[in-house]
Amino acid sequence: MSNKVPTPDELSKIDYKPPKRKWMDTPVEFKPGTWCYGSRPKYLEAVGMPNPRDWKPSDEDWKLPENWKEIFLEGMEERLRKYRSFRLFMDICVRCGACADKCHFFIGSGDPKNMPVLRAELLRSVYRKYFTTSGKLLGKVAGARELTVDVLKEIWYYMYQCSECRRCSVFCPYGIDTAEITLIGRELLNLLGLNTDWIAGPVANCYRTGNHLGIEPHTFKNSLEFFLSDIEDITGIKIEPSFNRKGAEILFVTPSGDTFADPGTYTCMGYLMLFHELGLDYTWSTYASEGGNFGFFTSNEMAKRLHYKIFAEAKRLGVKWILGGECGHMWRLLNQYLDTWHGPADFLEEPVSPITGTKFENTKSSRLVHIAEFTADLIKHGKLNLDPSRNDHLKVTFHDSCNTSRGMGIFEEPRYIIKNVCNHFYEMPEDTIREKTFCCGSGSGLNAGENMELRMRGGFPRANAVRFVKEKHGVNMLANICAIDRAALPPLMDYWVTDVRVTGVHELVGNALVMKGEKERTVDLRNEPLTSKESKEE
Amino acid sequence: MELKTLLLEKRSVILEKWFNLILESYPPDASGFLRSQRNQFTNPVGNTILKGTEGLFDKLLGEMDSDSEEAVSLFLDNIIRIKAIQDFTPSQAISFIFDLKKVIREELKNENSGVESRISGELLKLESRIDELALESFDIYMKCREKIYDLRAKEFQDKTFRLLQMANLISDPELRSEEDHGSVLKGKDNNLKPEK
Ligand code: SF4
Ligand code: SF4
């Protein structure tokens, strides 16, 4: 390829109009920055997934098993039988287009195959060809097509450009949930060993050590001890949490991101401070050391397999109930899938807050309480001594994570907490929050580095709304209750907005929490000076 | 001044044509949405381009009767930042600037020869100013691309730092490069134990 820069005149003559072609006839092209590396064999071997081998999505030859087509179609047939929703979603779409412009990946890329309806159509066309009479007879005319290697590649490409956020489903008059279609699409691809490395790695690690990073117990403990010394420096208070303690009342589980990656680490400090202040009878586990579940981005079976460790550990330790940290998909799994997988966790007790006596009725079956509910309840009952002026250097907005909002309906609690621990809170525009929230663009295991362009596209609608409140109100902090958000939003802000940082809600709580016996605070949890303090001194 | 008056008269036609031309670089199934959906939050790409082109055009006209060059970088940046992460080559990403020349020429071609000769000097000046913007656009485009590479590298460092720190691995030469598409974080050989 020549590197010659065209002259302006040449440029103005080039016709950039793409040729008009039907989507089925437009072959997939693997554009740089839009796809993730293929899974390495050792990760697949670790959990007994099929077809482990070295492969690159950009390679011509994907080293598929010889009978790959059979495997794929049999897998499809099995799932059509097993999941009524899947069959329904394959059949009932009337292609009304209501979902078409609701996907952040379409909005940000302008690539029509990122319209939810077309994303689903990639799989649906194969379904028609092999599982419907009209498709078998009429082929293309009936929207059906042969499953070829190219079609398989196209399905792969776009199943890993969906963050399973469910925004589209909010707008579909039939309630078709394209995220479910993606889930099954990925399951089928996994039958052929076509996972991404970024997903397969955490799955293998989680299976072995209980968390995505492969952190072993002593290292997990070390990491928390790190925060304890930071907390002591800032507040003068020495905290001694317990690990793997049998007989504790509560088991606390949070995504491992909170224990190793900034800014999640500050949120983790917030949890530690809050629990200490309450004198909560709780324990950490170095085995159930992960709230997240990349198995969910692999297959239903894998999600189920990895998820149960939390409950097995609760059983082993003999706790009464489980408290969960600020995590996204952990909650969606609990809310939508747990009962089907394992039935109610009735070997545990129905959760009751030991501080306020509140019974968390909504967790009757899962016995697992979300920390936003727990803390909002504490505040409501006046159990926390809070000084919101310690967050006066922050102008905060709140991003609803797809999983906690659309997957679970947690809208009010985090807002209630923020308004009680901060004096400056501003909502983003209505079309971009609550059930209509825009995804961070990196959910469902898409938060790798190699697909940064894709993430920036998908995250643009979110970033655009943040930019609006930044310009209008001077917002400088983007709060959320999801560990993937805390990892994915900082680079998103860096590219689109600048000068807006990212925080978990419990970091803000940690800042505002007035602890018994603490020394006068001069810095926040990030070791940055408190403005209220400065101005008092002036 | 005559050119400016003419361009002001034709402002809405020029802007509309320019906007449409830019949207033609998107697949037909998408350009309709980008063009018609006028909500700045649910169609940020279309609206940023729309506002960007209006802003650029007005600034250019504003410059015509003053000596100073107006700050147009922000409008350029807003548009190019989007194109830099979409499926465009560098030349495609900045070609929209040249589209403006094309549209203005087309709009003026029906003027009578008298007008044409009177405005030719001004037009030449305007066109070379647009060329300058194109050069500036290249710079902005490069900055956006560098930012993307930067983010890739930085993300990795940020994520790794705490973990390495606590595992006493900070001086470990094993720190992988991006090409090795594995990650210490994901337990590359699970070498996370303290060394001693
Ligand atoms: S909104 Fe529902 S019915 Fe309409 S095209 Fe989308 S998935 Fe199909
Ligand atoms: S689930 Fe989200 S990412 Fe997937 S198609 Fe729907 S809107 Fe797009």
Side-chain angles (χ1 to χ4, degrees):
Chain A
M1 209 183 101
S2 109
N3 284 328
K4 186 178 149 279
V5 178
T7 65
D9 249 15
E10 277 169 350
L11 271 175
S12 64
K13 281 185 209 117
I14 299 173
D15 186 3
Y16 291 111
K17 248 196 233 171
K20 282 208 165 83
R21 267 196 292 197
K22 288 248 157 44
W23 70 267
M24 264 197 215
D25 305 322
T26 315
V28 65
E29 211 184 307
F30 279 57
K31 301 271 174 66
T34 59
W35 47 275
C36 295
Y37 300 131
S39 43
R40 274 173 289 174
K42 66 173 179 185
Y43 291 145
L44 298 190
E45 279 155 8
V47 285
M49 299 286 290
N51 201 20
R53 79 258 176 248
D54 274 311
W55 72 290
K56 283 205 187 96
S58 53
D59 284 349
E60 183 68 38
D61 178 9
W62 277 12
K63 301 180 193 159
L64 297 169
E66 219 160 277
N67 58 339
W68 68 267
K69 202 165 149 176
E70 222 175 294
I71 297 174
F72 191 98
L73 292 174
E74 271 170 19
M76 204 163 175
E77 187 174 11
E78 187 193 326
R79 281 157 188 80
L80 285 165
R81 249 186 289 121
K82 202 157 133 195
Y83 305 114
R84 206 176 139 259
S85 56
F86 181 46
R87 169 136 243 158
L88 220 58
F89 294 167
M90 288 292 104
D91 279 329
I92 61 173
C93 171
V94 293
R95 284 179 269 184
C96 70
C99 62
D101 58 359
K102 304 303 187 295
C103 175
H104 48 289
F105 285 113
F106 171 68
I107 294 172
S109 70
D111 179 349
K113 284 178 192 166
N114 272 322
M115 292 175 178
V117 51
L118 268 198
R119 196 189 307 286
E121 206 66 16
L122 300 175
L123 213 55
R124 213 174 262 137
S125 55
V126 173
Y127 162 74
R128 289 200 193 97
K129 175 79 196 169
Y130 298 93
F131 301 98
T132 67
T133 320
S134 60
K136 277 180 198 159
L137 293 175
L138 300 170
K140 255 189 196 174
V141 184
R145 64 174 174 171
E146 198 91 36
L147 180 61
T148 62
V149 170
D150 285 341
V151 168
L152 182 75
K153 287 185 174 179
E154 185 176 51
I155 292 174
W156 187 86
Y157 191 65
Y158 288 102
M159 291 298 144
Y160 288 97
Q161 290 194 27
C162 166
S163 54
E164 302 178 356
C165 78
R166 304 179 78 210
R167 188 170 194 270
C168 48
S169 75
V170 173
F171 299 89
C172 173
Y174 295 90
I176 294 176
D177 184 352
T178 307
E180 293 272 336
I181 298 175
T182 299
L183 283 167
I184 294 194
R186 289 194 187 179
E187 244 187 77
L188 297 171
L189 292 163
N190 267 285
L191 297 175
L192 305 174
L194 299 174
N195 207 344
T196 72
D197 204 52
W198 190 256
I199 295 173
V203 165
N205 284 334
C206 204
Y207 184 63
R208 193 178 62 86
T209 66
N211 58 66
H212 292 159
L213 314 171
I215 302 176
E216 287 161 352
H218 58 286
T219 317
F220 185 81
K221 191 161 172 267
N222 279 356
S223 76
L224 286 182
E225 277 161 3
F226 230 83
F227 307 150
L228 298 176
S229 80
D230 282 358
I231 293 172
E232 194 175 347
D233 289 346
I234 296 167
T235 65
I237 292 176
K238 204 169 159 56
I239 297 179
E240 285 170 355
S242 62
F243 296 88
N244 305 328
R245 178 163 59 88
K246 288 196 175 172
E249 182 181 353
I250 299 165
L251 167 65
F252 180 67
V253 180
T254 198
S256 60
D258 286 350
T259 61
F260 85 98
D262 296 343
T265 48
Y266 307 114
T267 300
C268 195
M269 288 162 71
Y271 305 144
L272 286 160
M273 291 159 73
L274 176 69
F275 301 157
H276 173 84
E277 184 58 19
L278 296 171
L280 208 63
D281 178 14
Y282 85 108
T283 184
W284 293 80
S285 164
T286 59
Y287 304 103
S289 46
E290 178 67 72
N293 186 339
F294 273 41
F296 184 50
F297 313 140
T298 303
S299 71
N300 192 46
E301 274 310 305
M302 192 54 75
K304 182 174 164 185
R305 215 163 131 190
L306 296 183
H307 204 74
Y308 202 67
K309 67 162 186 285
I310 296 175
F311 291 91
E313 183 66 344
K315 215 181 226 173
R316 186 181 75 91
L317 296 176
V319 300
K320 288 189 182 154
W321 55 278
I322 308 167
L323 181 61
E326 295 185 14
C327 182
H329 57 270
M330 169 183 185
W331 295 97
R332 168 139 152 226
L333 293 177
L334 283 171
N335 202 42
Q336 298 188 333
Y337 301 90
L338 186 91
D339 264 355
T340 323
W341 288 341
H342 306 294
D346 46 17
F347 53 90
L348 297 173
E349 289 181 18
E350 282 180 31
V352 175
S353 168
I355 316 295
T356 64
T358 298
K359 231 180 167 180
F360 295 98
E361 303 274 354
N362 57 329
T363 64
K364 248 196 173 101
S365 174
S366 67
R367 315 278 151 110
L368 212 158
V369 176
H370 192 286
I371 193 159
E373 295 170 333
F374 180 73
T375 304
D377 174 63
L378 292 170
I379 296 175
K380 186 94 188 164
H381 286 86
K383 298 294 181 189
L384 300 181
N385 186 3
L386 300 167
D387 176 3
S389 76
R390 288 181 187 168
N391 282 316
D392 273 356
H393 54 313
L394 307 177
K395 293 199 166 144
V396 182
T397 190
F398 180 70
H399 160 69
D400 291 273
S401 314
C402 308
N403 286 313
T404 48
S405 58
R406 278 190 287 269
M408 225 192 146
I410 299 188
F411 301 117
E412 300 310 329
E413 291 84 349
R415 289 180 165 82
Y416 179 75
I417 298 173
I418 294 172
K419 285 180 196 160
N420 276 281
V421 299
C422 300
N423 288 320
H424 309 294
F425 173 67
Y426 304 94
E427 286 281 14
M428 283 184 271
E430 206 209 305
D431 282 334
T432 73
I433 55 170
R434 296 177 186 261
E435 53 277 284
K436 286 189 244 164
T437 187
F438 276 117
C439 180
C440 62
S442 303
S444 82
L446 299 185
N447 57 325
E450 60 268 23
N451 60 341
M452 193 56 85
E453 282 87 336
L454 176 77
R455 292 174 51 191
M456 293 300 120
R457 291 172 197 182
F460 181 45
R462 167 44 71 230
N464 180 60
V466 176
R467 185 155 77 177
F468 177 77
V469 284
K470 182 199 163 187
E471 282 164 7
K472 192 160 173 210
H473 305 291
V475 161
N476 58 11
M477 197 52 108
L478 175 57
N480 59 77
I481 49 169
C482 165
I484 289 194
D485 281 334
R486 288 191 284 279
L489 292 173
L492 189 73
M493 292 300 107
D494 201 356
Y495 187 77
W496 292 112
V497 188
T498 68
D499 300 326
V500 173
R501 295 189 296 170
V502 176
T503 182
V505 169
H506 278 76
E507 177 184 341
L508 302 172
V509 172
N511 278 341
L513 187 68
V514 180
M515 300 171 77
K516 289 181 274 302
E518 71 178 10
K519 67 177 189 190
E520 194 179 351
R521 293 219 210 154
T522 52
V523 291
D524 65 11
L525 297 187
R526 299 187 185 198
N527 249 317
E528 286 164 12
L530 300 176
T531 43
S532 55
K533 187 76 191 55
E534 274 171 1
S535 49
K536 257 184 244 162
E537 272 166 5
E538 266 161 25
Chain B
M1 280 319 296
E2 193 164 355
L3 177 62
K4 183 173 176 176
T5 319
L6 269 174
L7 292 178
L8 272 176
E9 265 168 32
K10 297 173 187 294
R11 180 179 181 276
S12 62
V13 188
I14 293 177
L15 282 174
E16 196 188 323
K17 286 197 173 164
W18 188 22
F19 182 56
N20 286 339
L21 216 59
I22 298 176
L23 293 191
E24 278 181 9
S25 60
Y26 290 89
D29 289 328
S31 52
F33 161 71
L34 294 174
R35 182 178 302 121
S36 56
Q37 170 59 260
R38 288 291 157 101
N39 178 321
Q40 79 179 95
F41 302 111
T42 51
N43 177 15
V45 171
N47 280 277
T48 305
I49 296 177
L50 183 69
K51 280 188 205 146
T53 48
E54 286 172 0
L56 278 170
F57 186 76
D58 292 340
K59 291 273 179 194
L60 282 176
L61 290 203
E63 282 178 4
M64 291 177 76
D65 48 9
S66 78
D67 285 338
S68 61
E69 287 183 354
E70 298 248 7
V72 292
S73 315
L74 183 67
F75 296 109
L76 284 178
D77 189 291
N78 286 346
I79 297 178
I80 295 164
R81 194 160 292 272
I82 292 173
K83 296 210 148 208
I85 48 100
Q86 293 181 327
D87 291 332
F88 294 109
T89 62
S91 64
Q92 287 169 342
I94 64 148
S95 68
F96 72 95
I97 282 293
F98 301 107
D99 288 342
L100 177 60
K101 274 180 34 177
K102 195 158 128 188
V103 174
I104 290 179
R105 279 272 172 193
E106 259 173 38
E107 279 309 304
L108 295 178
K109 75 170 182 251
N110 295 330
E111 296 303 323
N112 65 46
S113 55
V115 177
E116 210 178 304
S117 64
R118 282 200 305 279
I119 61 172
S120 67
E122 277 181 292
L123 188 59
L124 198 66
K125 208 170 136 200
L126 178 68
E127 288 191 331
S128 45
R129 177 68 179 128
I130 295 177
D131 288 341
E132 271 171 40
L133 294 189
L135 293 177
E136 196 180 328
S137 298
F138 270 118
D139 290 344
I140 295 174
Y141 178 85
M142 283 316 294
K143 270 198 209 119
C144 291
R145 294 304 307 170
E146 274 160 23
K147 186 83 204 174
I148 292 289
Y149 296 125
D150 218 49
L151 288 177
R152 277 189 192 148
K154 195 158 154 266
E155 255 227 315
F156 176 71
Q157 284 163 7
D158 287 355
K159 277 189 185 163
T160 325
F161 182 71
R162 276 268 191 185
L163 193 69
L164 294 181
Q165 201 181 20
M166 66 206 191
N168 294 328
L169 272 174
I170 212 66
S171 58
D172 194 305
E174 254 254 283
L175 233 177
R176 59 77 126 153
S177 63
E178 209 191 338
E179 295 78 70
D180 169 33
H181 76 243
S183 156
V184 172
L185 291 184
K186 292 181 294 175
K188 181 176 187 293
D189 305 319
N190 301 304
N191 192 6
L192 288 169
K193 296 173 213 96
E195 289 295 80
K196 284 152 279 169

